[in-house]
Amino acid sequence: MNWTDEGIVLSARKHGESAAIVTLLTRENGRHSGLVRGGYGSRARGIYQTGNLVSAHWRARLSEHLGTYSCELLQPNAAMLMSERLPLLALTSAAALVERLLPEREPHPDTFASLSALIEILEADENWLPRYVEWELGLLNQLGYGLDLTECAATGSTDDLVFVSPRTGCAVSAGAGTPYQEKLFDLPTFFMTSDPAPMSEDIDMGLRITGHFLARCAKDADAGDLPTSRARFVDRVARGARD
Amino acid sequence: MSSPEIERLIQMLAKLPGLGPRSARRAALHLIKRRNSLLDPLASAMAQAAQSVTICGICGNLDAADPCGVCADDRRDRGQVCVVEDVADLWALERAASFKGTYHVIGGTLSALDGRGPEDLNIASLLTRVATGEVTEVILATSATVDGQTTAHYISDRLEDLSDEKGAGLSITRLAHGVPVGGELDYLDDGTLSAALKARRPV
């Protein structure tokens, strides 16, 4: 068994003295792990940094084996983001979410494309924070936990949608939701209008909503809690809003 | 078949970094053949190190004394603290002999994969050191990896908070990333080149 594909490095875990078990999100083979001999050594360690785009060749005797990777660096995204505090946290959060929530060895070309696009935005766009929240919304969609914000879950109305139900993930209109507003999430306006520069309160609420449904997805998949790198990212965003 | 004592020696040597069972066997044989010149002095040095080497209560360095030789040296600038991941990094900087301040060994990096959080690192004692007001500059010398830099940013956040609370002007710096001395651009990896270009400065 062997294939060659492009992949984004999600993690590299030390194995033995200098080998690493590397997990990639590949374009055609989904989230896939493999052993890299010397992958944790000083020469190759730079290649297997979270976020880097690599050309990977995977080989194993049987398809169900862990197999071995040999990779060539295509884009050193980690090096580009290393000095940027919040974008680096966003990158590690996104990679950890994909690693925790995406089923292994199932093709998810949409998730590969959206993660690649997110990394480009983190490098190039100063106003990337709302795009990150939208990326999490997209990930929820790809995992089958997408939010339905087209109409009010209670009345079917498409007007005045201002809440999100934490139970169903559907929008709720002001008229139907106001009596229960303490139990509902406020619907951030940029979820509906793609506002390029939303308020920081909207970003915080957006992250709360996606965090709630991502946690539910993790629980359903027996994947435990959300990764600590996401919690650290959300804390830093909240701190940025306070500063 | 060798005796249980020799087998145990081989087993213990095989646990050392860089040695497998085969090379441990060779090392054991080498030691036993040179009992007077190698085995006895090595055993005595190891026993002495096991008895006397301790972790410095100030910086986390390994030394026979607490505080360690670096912290106890009056000629060193106590206003500068260089934060490193491991004692091996401290030794590397000492080999370069270009830093005359003090150190702080945090004992690793934050790692979500390994479940290592801030409470598992020696960060609280760094904050306590800085809070005394003696420190004017903290140099973050963590490795140029995603985990290393995430740790550096985390420490930087905590130090900024502390600096704001105390109202003191604390300078927080980090090591430069880029082209090594003697490095030819043609042979450098793309990540290093990108980092070097991004961190370029006026001549």
Side-chain angles (χ1 to χ4, degrees), chain B residues 5-122:
Chain B
E5 290 79 7
I6 296 175
E7 280 302 322
R8 180 161 165 70
L9 176 63
I10 292 168
Q11 275 175 15
M12 295 310 292
L13 285 172
K15 289 182 180 178
L16 295 175
L19 293 185
R22 196 177 281 260
S23 44
R25 198 168 283 276
R26 284 178 59 208
L29 194 60
H30 188 79
L31 285 168
I32 293 163
K33 280 181 178 172
R34 289 157 186 79
R35 179 187 291 261
N36 291 333
S37 63
L38 212 54
L39 183 60
D40 289 343
L42 180 66
S44 140
M46 286 171 81
Q48 209 171 352
Q51 197 175 21
S52 60
V53 172
T54 182
I55 297 171
C56 174
I58 299 173
C59 71
N61 187 14
L62 293 174
D63 204 329
D66 185 9
C68 68
V70 175
C71 292
D73 189 346
D74 289 335
R75 289 166 301 177
R76 289 198 170 252
D77 181 0
R78 287 188 166 71
Q80 280 188 325
V81 174
C82 182
V83 177
V84 293
E85 285 172 23
D86 199 66
V87 175
D89 302 326
L90 187 157
W91 289 350
L93 282 162
E94 281 297 283
R95 273 201 311 274
S98 56
F99 178 64
K100 295 297 172 203
T102 56
Y103 295 94
H104 197 90
V105 182
I106 54 171
T109 55
L110 298 174
S111 170
L113 263 184
D114 301 328
R116 205 164 43 238
E119 63 284 352
D120 302 312
L121 302 178
N122 197 16

Side-chain angles (χ1 to χ4, degrees), chain A residues 11-13 17 40 45-46 49-51 73-76 78-86 88-89 91-92 96 99-100 123 227-229 232 236 239 243, chain B residues 16-20 85 110-114 116-118 143-147 149-150 153-154 156-158 160-161 164 174 177 189-192 194-195 198:
Chain A
S11 69
R13 192 190 298 267
E17 254 178 54
Y40 220 80
R45 205 167 166 196
Q49 293 296 309
T50 303
L73 184 63
L74 295 178
Q75 273 177 32
M80 299 302 289
L81 292 171
M82 238 173 235
S83 55
E84 312 288 337
R85 196 174 299 201
L86 207 47
L88 184 66
L89 283 175
L91 171 70
T92 52
E99 180 163 24
R100 181 75 56 95
E123 287 174 11
T228 51
S229 38
R232 214 170 285 141
R236 190 63 185 75
R239 181 195 146 105
D243 293 348
Chain B
L16 295 175
L19 293 185
E85 285 172 23
L110 298 174
S111 170
L113 263 184
D114 301 328
R116 205 164 43 238
S143 54
T145 60
V146 168
D147 282 348
Q149 292 309 299
T150 304
H153 292 316
Y154 175 81
S156 168
D157 277 347
R158 300 293 306 274
E160 279 169 16
D161 287 346
D164 291 346
R174 70 161 173 83
H177 300 155
D189 65 277
D190 300 355
T192 307
S194 304
K198 205 170 182 196

